[in-house]
Amino acid sequence: MELPIVLTASAIEMSDFGLNPFISFTGGFPSKIVPQRILKWHLYPATKDNGDSTAAFAPYGMRKIEALLAREFGESNVVTCTPSNLPKFVGPETKAIGISTMDPLGIGFVSRTYTSLVGFGREPISAAEFRELMNNPIMRKYGSKIIVGGSGSWQIIRGNMQDAYGIDTVVIGEGDRAAAEIFRKAVQGEPLPKIVQTEKPKMEEIPLITKPSLFGVVEITRGCGKGCQFCSPTMRTRYSFPLERIKKEAELNARAGSRMIVLQTDDIFLYKCKERFIPNKKAIVELIETIDRIPGVEYIQPAHAALSPVVYDQKIIEEIAPMLVEKGRWPYNGKKVASIEVGIETGSVRLMEKHMKGKALPLEVKDWPEIVTQAIGIFNDNGIYPLATLVTGLPDETTEDTLATMELVDDLKGTKIFYVPLFFTSEEDCLLRASRQMDLRHLTELQWDFFATCWQHNIAIWHPQYRPLYAAGAMFGFMFYYMWKHGAKVLQPMMKLVGFPKS
Ligand code: SF4
């Protein structure tokens, strides 16, 4: 059945990774190590369809656009499907194909870091899958206009790939206000602008989803406002969505069979926060209790949390942790635990003051290392084992700054935390967009050591039983490979990673 508007995303972005949102990070790892066909089967199987080839679940942002377009053009004129089902819906009547993407060229924080570090894949999996989608002959077979949006669309402009991929319009920014007009032009055959930089929507312009989202995502806040210079959410207007609205979207997902609800936010403590980012305990507890009561919800996963509010009012964690642990997705040593992504970024107070002063609010940035250690302690005491990002190569980072981060990692030794160390990346939609990005060539011996220390911690805490395997593999394979590729400066870090000398 051909339809005028067809929405899709690359195969990897149409998967829920077996209901494991943290594994979706692997989209930033190199392709070609394992054949894509096998990865599609085992790592990121496509979302199932509804029996009529429409997608049962889809990325949350795409569901928002779908809701807007269905309101504008009628539900029967808009469909969302996986790439493999495109031939079922794209035909001579199709005027526009809308594509949502988070990492089309693999140049986001995770992709740049891990594709270059591992080094022997040609491109990140996310980029390989996006290329496969764009090279699908159905895209251009009937002259449909191709419109690409989503949080990674800036990469297409930065990478100068718009013409190579035959994309008519790249939408940069939130699509809630602009989407209807762009698709109207496409449907009526009017010329389309090559790039649309969207205006910020008002909260009432942001529609509720009407069909279920992957991972059961529901948005609880949008934007941030703490002003970290490397971060794009801070550029968006901050909203906390009304509880009734959040509940409706969560219920819709649960009714559709999503066992998980991901609470999408850049910091759960922003939810209805007070002046100076003082967390609103009552509102946060009520939010978690409301989701906890929805029938069919087995897992509740808040996306991100800031660290300072945990220390500012630890009672919030004490009240919500039992519900989050009970509905945690991951076991640790045979018992359920909860997890959440947090941003440590650096142990250097100087860099914090320079690039992300607001991150420590409502506490003082001068106390950042103590805030981090206290917050992780409070999380762990309550059964929450966070996944933490750290960024190396921030503009103007000195040896002393890297050492300060190493000291902080040392202070956190033994804590239940999973580190994701990253290269600084200047994404388009942030205040540091013109700054030089960190890359492998400029990594100092100390920064190599920093990466090795983080991963040594991860292996020791999360997979101690595999350590001998990592050691053997690294000794006979990776170590020589890395030394050949990057020189003697990697020797000590690699020895550390495999446990010599023993930490
Ligand atoms: S606190 Fe987090 S979400 Fe807010 S601006 Fe900083 S990095 Fe971005």
Side-chain angles (χ1 to χ4, degrees), residues 223-235 266-267 270 306 345 356 358-359:
C224 174
K226 288 189 182 170
C228 301
Q229 295 175 346
F230 62 86
C231 171
S232 40
T234 200
M235 310 293 272
D266 293 299
D267 168 14
L270 291 174
E345 323 308 9
M356 44 195 136
K359 200 173 183 73

Side-chain angles (χ1 to χ4, degrees), residues 282-409:
K282 186 168 173 285
I284 294 169
V285 172
E286 192 184 3
L287 167 70
I288 302 296
E289 284 174 347
T290 302
I291 305 297
D292 189 42
R293 283 195 294 264
I294 295 175
V297 175
E298 287 175 39
Y299 311 118
I300 303 175
Q301 181 58 57
H304 297 94
L307 294 166
S308 295
V310 176
V311 178
Y312 182 87
D313 185 355
Q314 74 176 73
K315 289 217 160 15
I316 303 178
I317 289 298
E318 287 167 5
E319 286 205 28
I320 63 173
M323 291 178 276
L324 296 180
V325 170
E326 174 56 31
K327 297 211 163 153
R329 172 73 176 81
W330 294 274
Y332 183 83
N333 279 348
K335 69 177 179 88
K336 275 190 172 188
V337 294
S339 190
I340 198 160
E341 188 181 330
V342 299
I344 295 176
E345 323 308 9
T346 177
S348 161
V349 171
R350 189 188 77 86
L351 285 181
M352 286 295 295
E353 278 175 343
K354 184 164 182 177
H355 296 306
M356 44 195 136
K357 201 172 179 172
K359 200 173 183 73
L361 288 168
L363 302 176
E364 300 280 335
V365 71
K366 66 178 174 48
D367 300 322
W368 183 243
E370 296 76 37
I371 292 169
V372 173
T373 49
Q374 277 187 49
I376 300 299
I378 294 166
F379 273 134
N380 280 184
D381 289 348
N382 288 279
I384 301 177
Y385 298 176
L387 178 150
T389 52
L390 288 154
V391 180
T392 196
L394 279 156
D396 187 32
E397 181 173 314
T398 63
T399 303
E400 286 68 36
D401 297 317
T402 313
L403 279 170
T405 305
M406 297 282 281
E407 267 168 41
L408 179 56
V409 170

Side-chain angles (χ1 to χ4, degrees), residues 72-135:
E72 192 74 17
F73 301 100
E75 201 171 324
S76 58
N77 290 315
V78 183
V79 71
T80 295
C81 68
T82 58
S84 59
N85 280 329
L86 281 172
K88 309 251 176 62
F89 297 106
V90 176
E93 296 304 315
T94 304
K95 305 295 181 211
I97 302 175
I99 297 167
S100 160
T101 183
M102 289 191 295
D103 195 19
L105 302 192
I107 53 175
F109 271 90
V110 177
S111 316
R112 280 188 66 249
T113 306
Y114 287 96
T115 296
S116 60
L117 272 178
V118 177
F120 41 75
R122 272 185 284 176
E123 61 184 341
I125 303 169
S126 55
E129 286 293 353
F130 187 76
R131 188 167 39 74
E132 191 171 308
L133 172 65
M134 299 315 294
N135 288 343

Side-chain angles (χ1 to χ4, degrees), residues 60-68 207-209 219 245 249:
Y60 182 77
M62 197 154 78
R63 286 301 199 201
K64 290 276 185 202
I65 300 300
E66 185 179 13
L68 273 171
L208 270 83
I209 58 169
E219 197 174 23
R245 190 185 149 116
E249 290 194 338

